[in-house]
Amino acid sequence: MSNNQSILQDFGLVEELDEEAGETITGGAEVFTIKNKTPYDITYILDGKSWLHRPNETWIWTAYSGGIIKFDKDSRNNYVDNQSYNLADGRIYEFQDKTSTPGNPFDIELYSVA
């Protein structure tokens, strides 16, 4: 039980806080890693801000606004296929070529690898 939860229970304000509510109260952040394992520059939006992630770069993020990522999973310039995920604390993610799409070698995906 967290210290915050104990204090709130002492005042009879709540029975139990779940982990997400506790993070909100304490201002908790999510830390995760994103790697670009594709041959493409990938532009994505993380918590409302745009970033350019170059091939073979690894970035460690601390997200204070939920860890929501949005990206175009089709790397062709004339086609947009947006994808959005809520990234989890402590995870490692990789952008990889999505070879399972027949006839489209330009698809990418963000995979949780650890």
Side-chain angles (χ1 to χ4, degrees), residues 1 5 9 26 31 33 37 43 48 66 71 78-79 81 86 90 95-96 98 103 106-107:
M1 176 183 318
Q5 184 175 341
Q9 282 181 331
T26 61
V31 178
T33 301
K37 295 295 188 178
T43 300
F71 64 96
N78 60 344
Y79 188 81
D81 189 5
N86 185 353
F95 282 108
Q96 298 177 7
K98 185 176 177 186
F106 302 104
D107 275 358

Side-chain angles (χ1 to χ4, degrees), residues 4 13 40 62 66 84 91:
N4 288 339
L13 297 175
Y40 315 110
T62 301
S84 178
R91 302 293 303 178

Side-chain angles (χ1 to χ4, degrees), residues 32-113:
F32 46 82
T33 301
I34 301 176
K35 299 177 180 183
N36 182 357
K37 295 295 188 178
T38 76
Y40 315 110
D41 288 345
I42 298 173
T43 300
Y44 55 86
I45 297 171
L46 183 64
D47 288 344
K49 186 168 180 179
S50 182
W51 301 92
L52 177 66
H53 203 134
R54 300 204 182 274
N56 298 312
E57 287 184 336
T58 298
W59 295 2
I60 298 173
W61 288 98
T62 301
Y64 296 96
S65 299
I68 305 295
I69 190 169
K70 297 176 185 174
F71 64 96
D72 181 4
K73 63 183 186 175
D74 189 307
S75 62
R76 295 175 289 184
N77 288 334
N78 60 344
Y79 188 81
V80 176
D81 189 5
N82 289 320
Q83 180 67 51
S84 178
Y85 294 113
N86 185 353
L87 304 183
D89 186 42
R91 302 293 303 178
I92 298 173
Y93 298 92
E94 287 183 358
F95 282 108
Q96 298 177 7
D97 284 320
K98 185 176 177 186
T99 57
S100 63
T101 307
N104 185 359
F106 302 104
D107 275 358
I108 62 172
E109 185 57 87
L110 184 64
Y111 295 98
S112 176
V113 296

